């Protein structure tokens, strides 16, 4: 009887530990996501450079979700240039959720963006100077003990 109780208790504690670890990962990544958005608006390339993965990819526009092409696709260097040029005056997150898979976290939600690029850097078919509601999915991975931002894809969000 005592042995069965101890086994049940150990099982429950193991499950709780996994849930807490997932919760901690979600909390860490959601906090990092806010720091990244703040860095984007401030033009803080130094910080962004430390959290963007070397193979970072940013897909702009949701046309790809309906068989078309994205507005643009940035690698790390191109996105860091956008940050350095302070192309985004507003990047406010809203309703972001995290899905944890061990050392990988997928976030989804939306942000409100005010995009003001230099004319020569403008994304074709984008609408500068207007607040835009951008729906996204992002992927983060823990590498060498630090969360890295791997990928952003603009997705087709609710139309209501």
């Amino acid at each position: 009887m005592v042995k069965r109780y101890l086994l049940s208790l150990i099982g429950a504690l193991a499950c709780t530990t996994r849930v807490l670890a997932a919760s901690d990962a979600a909390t860490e990544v959601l906090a990092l996501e806010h720091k990244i958005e703040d860095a984007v608006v401030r033009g803080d390339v130094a910080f962004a450079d430390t959290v963007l993965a070397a193979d970072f990819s940013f897909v702009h526009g949701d046309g790809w979700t309906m068989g078309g092409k994205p507005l643009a696709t940035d690698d790390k260097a191109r996105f860091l240039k956008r940050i350095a040029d302070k192309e985004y005056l507003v990047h406010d997150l809203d309703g972001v959720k995290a899905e944890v898979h061990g050392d990988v976290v997928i976030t989804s939600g939306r942000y409100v963006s005010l995009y003001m690029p230099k004319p020569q850097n403008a994304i074709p078919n984008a609408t500068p100077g207007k607040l835009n509601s951008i729906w996204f999915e992002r992927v983060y991975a823990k590498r060498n003990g630090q969360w890295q931002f791997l990928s952003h894809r603009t997705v087709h969000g609710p139309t209501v």
Side-chain angles (χ1 to χ4, degrees), residues 4-5 21 31 37 49 70 82 96 98 102 104 115 131 134-135 145 151 156-157 160:
R4 186 177 298 157
Y5 172 75
E37 297 302 347
D49 189 42
R82 288 187 194 286
V96 180
V104 173
Y115 172 63
L131 281 175
I134 312 281
W135 292 91
S151 174
H156 186 69
V160 181

Side-chain angles (χ1 to χ4, degrees), residues 15 21 26-27 38 46 53 62 93 99 111 120 123 134 143-144:
C15 289
T27 300
D38 290 344
D62 66 357
L93 293 167
E99 178 182 326
Y111 60 93
Q120 68 272 20
I123 295 172
I134 312 281
R143 294 179 173 169
N144 299 318

Side-chain angles (χ1 to χ4, degrees), residues 52-121:
L52 297 180
D55 57 350
F56 177 76
S57 172
F58 192 115
V59 176
H60 298 270
D62 66 357
W64 69 273
T65 66
M66 296 167 276
K69 293 184 178 182
L71 294 175
T73 302
D74 290 344
D75 60 9
K76 181 177 181 175
R78 180 71 187 122
F79 191 64
L80 288 174
K81 179 157 179 19
R82 288 187 194 286
I83 294 170
D85 290 345
K86 296 186 178 182
E87 292 186 5
Y88 302 100
L89 301 183
V90 174
H91 256 211
D92 290 336
L93 293 167
D94 182 36
V96 180
K97 293 177 177 49
E99 178 182 326
V100 179
H101 301 274
D103 284 348
V104 173
V105 176
I106 302 167
T107 63
S108 60
R110 80 176 182 113
Y111 60 93
V112 175
S113 177
L114 179 56
Y115 172 63
M116 295 295 292
K118 294 176 182 175
Q120 68 272 20
N121 295 338

Side-chain angles (χ1 to χ4, degrees), residues 22-40 42 47 51 91 93 96-100 105-108 136 138 140 147-149:
S23 175
D24 290 348
T27 300
E28 289 173 10
V29 169
L30 292 173
L32 175 61
E33 205 156 57
H34 281 280
K35 288 178 184 175
I36 291 168
E37 297 302 347
D38 290 344
V40 166
R42 282 192 327 271
F47 173 77
V51 296
H91 256 211
L93 293 167
V96 180
K97 293 177 177 49
E99 178 182 326
V100 179
V105 176
I106 302 167
T107 63
S108 60
F136 67 87
R138 294 175 174 168
Y140 296 83
W147 288 106
Q148 293 282 286
F149 185 9

